[in-house]
Amino acid sequence: MHESITIKDIAKALGFSTSTVSRALRDSHEISAETKRIVLEYAEKINYQPNPIALSLKERKSHSIGVVVCEVANNFFSQAISGIESIAYSRGYHVILSQTHESFEREIVNVNHLASRSVDGLLVSLSSGTINLDHFKKLHDKGLPIVFFDRIPKEINTHKVASNNFEGAFKATEHLINSGFKTIAHLANAAHLSISTERLAGYKAALEKHQLTFTEDLIKYCGHGGMVFEEVETAVKELLHLKNKPDAVLITSDRLSTCCLTILNHLGLSVPDDLAIAGFTNSNTAELFNPPLTTIRQPAFKIGQLATEKLISIIESKYPVTEFTTQLLDTEFSIRSSSVLSRKPALPDVF
Amino acid sequence: MHESITIKDIAKALGFSTSTVSRALRDSHEISAETKRIVLEYAEKINYQPNPIALSLKERKSHSIGVVVCEVANNFFSQAISGIESIAYSRGYHVILSQTHESFEREIVNVNHLASRSVDGLLVSLSSGTINLDHFKKLHDKGLPIVFFDRIPKEINTHKVASNNFEGAFKATEHLINSGFKTIAHLANAAHLSISTERLAGYKAALEKHQLTFTEDLIKYCGHGGMVFEEVETAVKELLHLKNKPDAVLITSDRLSTCCLTILNHLGLSVPDDLAIAGFTNSNTAELFNPPLTTIRQPAFKIGQLATEKLISIIESKYPVTEFTTQLLDTEFSIRSSSVLSRKPALPDVF
DNA sequence: TAAATTTATGCAATCGTTCCCGACGTTCTG
DNA sequence: CAGAACGTCGGGAACGATTGCATAAATTTA
């Protein structure tokens, strides 16, 4: 890739100046039709490609956006990234990927690495290890466009796109209640994440609406979100040994859902008879599970698309953007046998 | 992000020339210790960050690698990308993502877009729509480092990393034979992909070894690799209506495996009694399926890592690389109930 | 016909950095 | 003590493109 041709080569070959060539290629009005033709034909012939890095330097714009997620190999995030890529591609932006592995330090390093002017904007889903947002605030104050998605912070005023986690959890919990379950546990990701608090709130609201008392014991947090199997195993076992043993559990994370099902299968427990399950997951195969899993599915692809559109709108805005939105997208609730008792028919879900 | 500080600002503030500042920051031997101290302290104080784009222009190196895959939201590829990111990150490279959606045209556009000098090398898994490799050859001849992984071409001489598809298919087929199945169908991705031909060869070899005759009818190709459900549905139904109806099927693609199981469940057929299944998939939840799915799993993460290491080794090589390797990594075979008859005990797998 | 305008092009600065080369001053060598 | 050697530093040309300004020729206008 060293003998790459530049505008200078064209100028030299054709006897023009570089400015004339540049303008001809850009179809400037101040270049004669004849000159344009000559330049364009020659450029075409030798397959001239403008150097994007030189352009970036000049325009102070890299035409690329950085994506910061905890893990790529995850149903939700890979779908979201697919959405991000689709929009970015169509708008002429490159997508640069980085993973935090739920580590605060890694998030700081990645964000700064991306931000040190090689990226026009950032698309971020917070890591569970994030304990403060200074690294984002600093960049945001400097004027770097940032859009948060899925795991979003309250403290930073910018566009945010996420699922309607409250309603997703509310609906699923209400479904469990309507299906006849009385003691509903809650298995969650790291407690401080927006997805956790919002889903917990939805869960609580559903309990309250149906006059079920909320018990702290029934809430279990798994800080690693299912990445550490033992953590989930302990949590599930603790739930099962409770005096007020739950008959159902709402699981608010993808990996947690599958982990929990695995654990119950290993323990030889029957789902839903011993313990019913409804879980947040973006797996495409929940229907295939044994038993088929009742799921709350997030519109991951759409979330990625919307977040990217909003980011690019900030990037390309002529004037500073000060009005920001937080957009919540509805989740998709699918009732399957993991939450419907086989021995006694379930009550109708509407009532 | 406009008031970003440059080496010039430091020079002006400190009364040095830009060259001195640059050298001081680079810890050049021709700068006095005292000057270095002053410059470094000041740079630290005002949080100077070198402009990577200017560096790229100067060094003709972007410190980023382009990844071209058909689909991010896919178990195998998202795991592979995770491996790619892990190595790239540790070696100081950015990962730029693009998807072809199995389209030839899109592959050409993406590859050229990435290659037009904004990327130091390319990591490619071919799309199923790819009918010729001219776009890669052109770039490869120009000196752009390319490493292929998973779906690899024969015609281009460079590093390649993939699974040992032959052996994976061979083992699984032999397992089906040893489990007592006589008529083993083969459900595959687009016929011309390396993964398809290699897996087909493994399948044929196992049949041959066990004196089973190979029948063309029993091979069904799904050009969209399971992205188009109807295509798979048609293929499966055709298999089921064959005069020599298969009692087992080897499925050689991730999405195809789950699609097929879904279809069989929908048809009310019992797996493995009506039709046994063994499939290539990188799903983490095959164990949870109904029935648990016998799988051939590819070391996706490792493949991504190795491919990236090889790519970076070419990129950073002082002299032109002419010796290339094709590395095949072993697959992981997990026998589960989808391939083991419940009515009659299976024959031992060894023998 | 002189002046004003338009047309088509070149010059040179710019983006932020590196690095070759030259210019000092000091110290060492013979 | 002259010259070499060294240690420090600045000037300025790159890298590849864009663009404001100047300029020359051609054309129009008065």
Side-chain angles (χ1 to χ4, degrees), chain A residues 210-246:
Chain A
H210 293 267
Q211 283 106 33
L212 291 179
T213 55
F214 164 73
T215 324
E216 199 67 57
D217 316 350
L218 288 171
I219 318 289
K220 291 287 175 195
Y221 294 105
C222 298
H224 298 90
M227 297 298 289
V228 180
F229 187 79
E230 291 71 25
E231 189 183 42
V232 191
E233 204 169 17
T234 307
V236 171
K237 284 184 179 167
E238 282 176 9
L239 284 177
L240 292 172
H241 286 95
L242 243 40
K243 44 217 160 295
N244 58 333
K245 184 171 159 288

Side-chain angles (χ1 to χ4, degrees), chain B residues 268-305:
Chain B
L269 293 177
S270 156
V271 178
D273 297 306
D274 293 325
L275 188 66
I277 296 183
F280 278 77
T281 175
N282 268 56
S283 167
N284 298 308
T285 55
E287 186 193 356
L288 287 175
F289 288 0
N290 181 23
L293 189 60
T294 293
T295 58
I296 307 102
R297 186 189 180 84
Q298 301 180 78
F301 188 84
K302 193 79 198 160
I303 288 176
Q305 287 191 311

Side-chain angles (χ1 to χ4, degrees), chain A residues 70-125:
Chain A
C70 59
E71 210 78 42
V72 181
N74 167 294
N75 293 312
F76 174 80
F77 288 114
S78 62
Q79 290 161 24
I81 290 168
S82 184
I84 291 171
E85 200 272 343
S86 72
I87 298 295
Y89 172 80
S90 70
R91 303 284 297 264
Y93 285 80
H94 278 314
V95 173
I96 302 184
L97 211 60
S98 76
Q99 304 186 95
T100 64
H101 299 287
E102 306 286 21
S103 147
F104 182 40
E105 289 72 31
R106 183 81 187 254
E107 182 177 279
I108 295 179
V109 172
N110 284 357
V111 163
N112 285 326
H113 194 208
L114 287 170
S116 57
R117 287 178 303 194
S118 65
V119 129
D120 295 337
L122 238 36
L123 242 29
V124 179
S125 179

Side-chain angles (χ1 to χ4, degrees), chain B residues 103-321:
Chain B
S103 148
F104 182 41
E105 289 71 30
R106 183 81 187 252
E107 182 176 280
I108 295 178
V109 173
N110 285 356
V111 163
N112 285 326
H113 194 207
L114 287 171
S116 58
R117 287 179 304 193
S118 66
V119 129
D120 295 338
L122 237 37
L123 243 28
V124 179
S125 180
L126 295 174
S127 98
S128 67
T130 299
I131 49 179
N132 79 59
L133 299 163
D134 292 350
H135 49 307
F136 291 120
K137 281 186 190 144
K138 212 165 57 187
L139 294 168
H140 187 236
D141 290 346
K142 264 194 179 180
L144 180 72
I146 304 180
V147 170
F148 291 95
F149 70 100
D150 186 45
R151 297 145 162 223
I152 59 182
K154 276 203 162 21
E155 299 90 324
I156 297 182
N157 187 28
T158 182
H159 287 315
K160 295 161 197 168
V161 183
S163 308
N164 194 334
N165 289 303
F166 178 91
E167 186 163 329
F170 182 88
K171 267 194 194 162
T173 309
E174 190 165 45
H175 156 73
L176 289 171
I177 298 171
N178 286 337
S179 297
F181 299 103
K182 301 289 180 202
T183 314
I184 300 168
H186 184 102
L187 195 58
N189 211 320
H192 61 281
L193 288 175
S194 61
I195 51 172
S196 296
T197 58
E198 291 162 12
R199 291 170 191 177
L200 180 62
Y203 160 84
K204 282 186 184 174
L207 292 188
E208 190 164 357
K209 177 180 172 194
H210 292 268
Q211 282 107 35
L212 290 179
T213 55
F214 164 74
T215 323
E216 198 65 58
D217 317 348
L218 288 171
I219 319 288
K220 291 287 174 196
Y221 294 105
C222 297
H224 298 91
M227 296 298 289
V228 180
F229 187 79
E230 292 70 27
E231 188 183 44
V232 191
E233 204 169 16
T234 307
V236 172
K237 285 184 178 168
E238 282 176 9
L239 284 176
L240 292 172
H241 286 95
L242 244 41
K243 46 220 157 292
N244 57 333
K245 184 171 157 290
D247 52 6
V249 55
L250 175 72
I251 311 176
T252 62
S253 148
D254 196 311
R255 226 176 275 261
L256 243 38
S257 299
T258 52
C259 270
C260 182
L261 191 51
T262 305
I263 292 163
L264 295 176
N265 284 350
H266 283 351
L267 291 174
L269 293 177
S270 156
V271 178
D273 297 306
D274 293 325
L275 188 66
I277 296 183
F280 278 77
T281 175
N282 268 56
S283 167
N284 298 308
T285 55
E287 186 193 356
L288 287 175
F289 288 0
N290 181 23
L293 189 60
T294 293
T295 58
I296 307 102
R297 186 189 180 84
Q298 301 180 78
F301 188 84
K302 193 79 198 160
I303 288 176
Q305 287 191 311
L306 280 174
T308 311
E309 276 169 2
K310 291 188 185 232
L311 181 66
I312 294 179
S313 82
I314 305 179
I315 292 174
E316 298 187 344
S317 168
K318 300 288 181 194
Y319 42 88
V321 182

Side-chain angles (χ1 to χ4, degrees), chain B residues 16-17 19-20 23 30 32 35 58 60:
Chain B
F16 289 116
S17 72
S19 9
T20 302
R23 273 183 274 249
E30 46 181 346
S32 73
T35 306
K58 194 101 234 287
R60 307 168 142 179

